Structure formats: structure tokens, C-alpha cells
């Protein structure tokens, strides 16, 4: 068993990304494009979509991702198109079906604890990034 920490979170993310890649393999979308599409679907229209994606996904330049999604007819004027919503829904259902056995292995109590722990890690990571990554590091570490 891997102890809770960056290694466990990293390996979990890599495994989940591998499952995502199997779903996206026949779609022509990359994992980063999928993330940009999902974040576009969550965008409330306030502010700049590229900044919204950059802040949440930590992509340095989401412009090319959005351009690729627009070229495919999935995004227009900072919004999902009808085709984009349909693709998001269809692909989301495929991801849910593939990952259902993963989530079924986790008890509700463990899921609640993991949710609290991962949100604390996320909040802490965002705080370190906001302060500047060098400030979160110890000299000589």
C-alpha cells in the first residue's frame, strides 16, 4: 500500500488519465482538450474563458486547445455548441461506465474522508502556488 502523499496522488492521477485516454482514443481529442472542454462547460461567462481554464487546469496557454475545440465545432464564443454538449455528455457517460467499478470499491465513509483530504491538498497546493512555488520550498531541501 502506498502511503498518502504526492506519490499516491500522482499514481492515482496517472492511472485515471490512462483510463481517460482509452475513452478518448477514438474521439480525436487529447486529454488536455477534454479538460478544456469540460471547463468550458462549467464556465459561467464571467471573465475570460482562457483565464478560467488556465487557472483551474494550470495550462500555460489554453488558446490552442480552445482553437482546436472550435475547429471541431465543439466550442464557439466561449460556450459549448450543441455538438459540444452532446459530445461532453456522451463521453462523460462512457467515462462513468468505465470507472464505475473503481468507485464501487470505495466505501462511502472512505470516499468522504478522501474528499476532505484531497480538497485540503488542493487548497494547500493552490495557496503555495499563489504565494509563489519558491516560497513553499525550504532552502536546501
Amino acid at each position: 500500500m502506498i502511503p498518502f502523499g504526492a506519490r499516491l496522488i500522482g499514481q492515482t492521477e496517472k492511472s485515471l488519465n490512462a483510463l481517460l485516454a482509452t475513452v478518448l482514443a477514438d474521439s480525436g481529442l487529447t486529454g488536455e482538450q477534454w479538460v478544456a472542454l469540460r471547463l468550458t462547460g462549467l464556465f459561467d461567462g464571467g471573465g475570460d474563458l482562457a483565464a478560467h481554464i488556465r487557472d483551474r487546469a494550470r495550462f500555460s496557454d489554453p488558446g490552442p486547445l480552445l482553437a482546436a475545440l472550435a475547429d471541431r465545432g465543439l466550442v464557439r464564443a466561449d460556450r459549448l455548441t450543441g455538438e459540444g454538449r452532446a459530445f461532453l455528455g456522451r463521453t462523460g457517460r462512457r467515462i462513468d461506465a468505465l470507472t464505475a467499478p473503481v468507485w464501487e470499491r470505495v466505501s462511502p465513509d472512505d470516499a468522504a474522508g478522501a474528499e476532505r483530504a484531497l480538497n485540503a491538498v488542493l487548497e494547500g497546493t493552490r495557496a503555495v502556488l499563489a504565494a509563489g512555488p519558491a516560497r513553499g520550498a525550504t532552502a536546501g531541501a
Side-chain angles (χ1 to χ4, degrees), residues 7-137:
R7 184 171 157 233
L8 175 60
I9 293 169
Q11 286 190 18
T12 302
E13 180 185 21
K14 284 177 180 54
S15 295
L16 289 170
N17 280 335
L19 290 178
L20 174 62
T22 65
V23 173
L24 294 178
D26 63 350
S27 74
L29 251 62
T30 66
E32 286 184 341
Q33 289 169 338
W34 169 252
V35 170
L37 186 69
R38 288 199 57 214
L39 289 172
T40 300
L42 298 172
F43 184 60
D44 64 7
D48 177 51
L49 176 60
H52 169 81
I53 292 170
R54 186 175 38 258
D55 293 346
R56 280 151 190 82
R58 309 304 296 180
F59 295 152
S60 61
D61 183 10
L65 299 171
L66 290 169
L69 295 172
D71 288 347
R72 295 220 18 204
L74 301 173
V75 173
R76 183 176 51 247
D78 291 351
R79 296 274 186 233
L80 295 177
T81 62
E83 184 178 342
R85 281 188 299 280
F87 180 87
L88 191 65
R90 184 173 59 250
T91 304
R93 287 188 296 278
R94 289 178 63 202
I95 292 166
D96 289 347
L98 181 63
T99 60
V102 173
W103 309 126
E104 290 168 358
R105 296 174 59 124
V106 180
S107 75
D109 287 343
D110 286 345
E115 181 178 334
R116 286 189 303 275
L118 290 172
N119 275 296
V121 169
L122 180 60
E123 182 180 313
T125 303
R126 286 179 174 165
V128 169
L129 288 168
R135 290 196 175 135

